[in-house]
Amino acid sequence: MQQVTVLGTGVLGSQIIFQTAYAGKDVVAYDINDEILAKLPARWEQLKPFYLRDLPDATPESLDAAVSRIRATSDLAEAVAEADIVIEAVPERLDIKRDTWQKVSAVAPENTIFATNSSTLLPSDIVSAVDRPSKFLALHFANEIWRNNTGEVMAQEHTDPAVFEEVARFAEEIGMVAIRVKKEQPGYVLNSLLVPLLDAAATLWVRGVADIDVIDMTWRKATGAPLGPFQIFDVVGMTTPYNLNKDSSDPVKREFAERLKTDYIDQGRLGVATGRGFYEYGD
């Protein structure tokens, strides 16, 4: 699979685009308007220093070559016209994902494989929106994809086993460790472990049990982990936890979402990507 289309150019979508191009694939970056796409060149310049820092084989020349393999468009039909695989990284809302896949199904070639990067939704929640259930599955990446390089592959009941293996091989081709998830599980392996930690941290903060820096320090000191939960929130960005919690039946989770919206999102404090979140990030 050489021709790759990525739908969505947010924090993780842009990382998937860049990493896939770095691995030698030809990538089309799609988003809903040209104003969003105009920000991508600056995003590539932001990512390059991290590759040079973290990957021994990265060079300025190889990173420039990666950028040269990326093409951006806001025309969906054009974006998927030659795609071997389409990877969807649009906002974590079922209605948006289903609407996106219905539109993609109408214009994508018959041979194109469809993969959702949804972090919490099951592929079986979305599959009825596509026209090729045997070619639809999940391929989930972790933030800072170039070094936290897992690619979790998860099928739904209609997925062709050959497609599953083809996508696992594709994940390996773009530098991932392919994690073959044996059955559908909300959150796959990674988020099944991570989300309870983040939920617990949010609850401690909302209930006034401890301050953000104390919660993070406790987790780092007691476990040896490099990041505390609120530092992880900053890496993930504020939009995803806000969307996941704003309509919760749990009042604590709703209050957490309200605080994220008022004190962080509305203030432009979106996390590492904007240089400010729960913490400040310098150059």
Side-chain angles (χ1 to χ4, degrees):
M1 291 190 285
Q2 178 63 26
Q3 305 296 326
V4 181
T5 298
V6 179
L7 310 177
T9 61
V11 173
L12 193 52
S14 61
Q15 290 180 23
I16 297 168
I17 293 162
F18 194 80
Q19 175 64 26
T20 304
Y22 180 73
K25 306 294 185 182
D26 300 311
V27 188
V28 178
Y30 168 82
D31 219 313
I32 56 175
N33 62 57
D34 292 333
E35 183 180 352
I36 295 172
L37 296 174
K39 300 176 182 178
L40 287 179
R43 179 63 174 150
W44 309 147
E45 293 306 311
Q46 290 172 346
L47 286 172
K48 285 178 180 180
F50 294 106
Y51 275 69
L52 293 171
R53 180 194 69 188
D54 295 331
L55 301 184
D57 62 346
T59 64
E61 293 76 18
S62 66
L63 295 170
D64 288 341
V67 173
S68 74
R69 287 188 284 269
I70 301 169
R71 179 169 62 88
T73 181
S74 58
D75 184 319
L76 183 60
E78 178 188 344
V80 304
E82 299 179 357
D84 296 317
I85 184 170
V86 174
I87 302 171
E88 167 265 304
V90 303
E92 192 71 1
R93 279 178 41 188
L94 181 58
D95 59 333
I96 295 176
K97 290 185 182 294
R98 287 179 57 85
D99 179 65
T100 298
W101 282 117
Q102 285 177 340
K103 291 175 179 175
V104 173
S105 293
V107 292
E110 287 185 19
N111 66 302
T112 305
I113 291 172
F114 292 169
T116 179
N117 178 62
S118 175
S119 57
T120 57
L121 299 168
L122 295 174
S124 60
D125 295 332
I126 306 168
V127 66
S128 63
V130 308
D131 66 343
R132 61 202 72 188
S134 67
K135 293 181 181 292
F136 180 75
L137 75 175
L139 174 58
H140 180 252
F141 299 92
N143 252 295
E144 300 195 348
I145 181 177
W146 62 92
R147 64 171 184 165
N148 301 330
N149 57 324
T150 56
E152 297 182 280
V153 186
M154 185 167 71
Q156 38 80 31
E157 63 174 330
H158 303 291
T159 306
D160 184 336
V163 170
F164 181 92
E165 284 302 320
E166 189 173 1
V167 172
R169 289 193 297 272
F170 167 78
E172 292 167 347
E173 289 172 5
I174 62 170
M176 300 298 103
V177 176
I179 309 299
R180 291 168 169 82
V181 183
K182 296 171 66 176
K183 61 185 297 185
E184 279 195 300
Q185 163 67 29
Y188 312 76
V189 176
L190 173 60
N191 283 331
S192 293
L193 298 167
L194 179 61
V195 170
L197 167 67
L198 299 182
D199 284 348
T203 298
L204 289 170
W205 179 50
V206 169
R207 291 181 172 170
V209 175
D211 292 334
I212 285 170
D213 59 337
V214 173
I215 295 168
D216 278 358
M217 180 271 293
T218 302
W219 182 253
R220 293 195 309 268
K221 287 291 185 183
T223 68
L227 299 177
F230 288 94
Q231 291 172 295
I232 295 172
F233 275 127
D234 273 356
V235 173
V236 171
M238 301 299 176
T239 304
T240 294
Y242 170 72
N243 284 331
L244 290 175
N245 288 285
K246 66 185 180 67
D247 298 320
S248 174
S249 59
D250 184 336
V252 173
K253 291 184 177 181
R254 289 199 306 275
E255 183 176 345
F256 177 58
E258 290 167 8
R259 289 195 188 185
L260 288 180
K261 181 73 165 59
T262 302
D263 297 344
Y264 295 92
I265 295 173
D266 289 350
Q267 308 304 318
R269 301 183 69 95
L270 303 182
V272 172
T274 59
R276 299 188 308 155
F278 290 110
Y279 297 92
E280 302 278 343
Y281 300 89
D283 295 333

